[in-house]
Amino acid sequence: EPEVTQTPSHQVTQMGQEVILRCVPISNHLYFYWYRQILGQKVEFLVSFYNNEISEKSEIFDDQFSVERPDGSNFTLKIRSTKLEDSAMYFCASSQPRDRSENAYGYTFGSGTRLTVV
Amino acid sequence: RKEVEQDPGPFNVPEGATVAFNCTYSNSASQSFFWYRQDCRKEPKLLMSVYSSGNEDGRFTAQLNRASQYISLLIRDSKLSDSATYLCVVTTSGTYKYIFGTGTRLKVLA
């Protein structure tokens, strides 16, 4: 079964440092996403990406965040100057385009990167 | 009102029991609905989509009530391995963004 791969599985960083979280989406998927989940809280949308540009982003996704698809396989999330409150599990996901049928798609999530900011 | 609301539980049920979860959503323009399962500190995994006519997958049955803006998940013959958090997910027309509920925690007891 195709998988979304995320690296690293756990990252510890000092406050103010930059981190890059990496993801390899499923190869024939066209939509890519980043979500985060703070411990004990719900999964929250950060950003969606299609056709080499951001298609939607949330209020959480402010100027310290950026995404990139540097080549044909990787999809990265950069946090420029990490804060303590950025500590969370970050999930990458990918999906097929929606078609005309109901519920035509569902995401596949990667196993996540646990980011700890100290 | 929260966009997607779920009873956080936990629901503690014995093996073999039938258990049902509900989820309500606030946006009447919501288009697609899913149930995901999340094990502790793991990624959400798609359990099933929810169709207007209702749908079943083995021991799992999902229902959608657009008029009352809720979806439900019924699990029959609960197994120990069903213990997890069940996440209700809603999307709206024109967006691929998932809106998650906080999840309902299920513990199936031996």
Side-chain angles (χ1 to χ4, degrees), chain A:
Chain A
E1 189 175 325
E3 286 186 343
V4 174
T5 305
Q6 287 187 245
T7 55
S9 57
H10 192 183
Q11 172 108 33
V12 181
T13 189
Q14 290 206 323
M15 194 167 54
Q17 295 296 304
E18 174 182 287
V19 294
I20 297 176
L21 310 183
R22 292 183 164 80
C23 170
V24 178
I26 293 173
S27 60
N28 65 341
H29 284 183
L30 299 179
Y31 287 83
F32 315 118
Y33 315 87
W34 284 100
Y35 283 74
R36 80 170 186 190
Q37 186 175 30
I38 295 169
L39 188 63
Q41 297 187 23
K42 68 177 184 178
V43 179
E44 298 176 291
F45 171 75
L46 292 178
V47 65
S48 60
F49 191 87
Y50 171 71
N51 201 24
N52 284 320
E53 60 183 22
I54 292 174
S55 50
E56 194 171 359
K57 61 183 181 179
S58 71
E59 292 176 355
I60 303 168
F61 194 88
D62 61 22
D63 291 345
Q64 69 162 334
F65 291 93
S66 62
V67 290
E68 198 177 32
R69 189 154 162 81
D71 54 43
S73 59
N74 289 286
F75 179 51
T76 62
L77 174 69
K78 182 191 291 186
I79 309 174
R80 257 181 280 283
S81 178
T82 50
K83 305 171 192 163
L84 294 176
E85 55 264 36
D86 294 328
S87 295
M89 182 74 99
Y90 288 81
F91 293 111
C92 174
S94 66
S95 72
Q96 297 275 25
R98 187 191 308 229
D99 64 24
R100 293 182 187 276
S101 63
E102 184 182 7
N103 296 323
Y105 64 96
Y107 292 4
T108 301
F109 283 88
S111 56
T113 294
R114 181 166 300 283
L115 177 65
T116 303
V117 182
V118 297

Side-chain angles (χ1 to χ4, degrees), chain A residues 35 37 56 98 103 107 110, chain B residues 31 38 43 50 95-96 98:
Chain A
Y35 283 74
Q37 186 175 30
E56 194 171 359
R98 187 191 308 229
N103 296 323
Y107 292 4
Chain B
Q31 181 176 24
Q38 187 175 32
E43 75 273 24
V50 186
T95 175
Y96 283 74
Y98 272 16

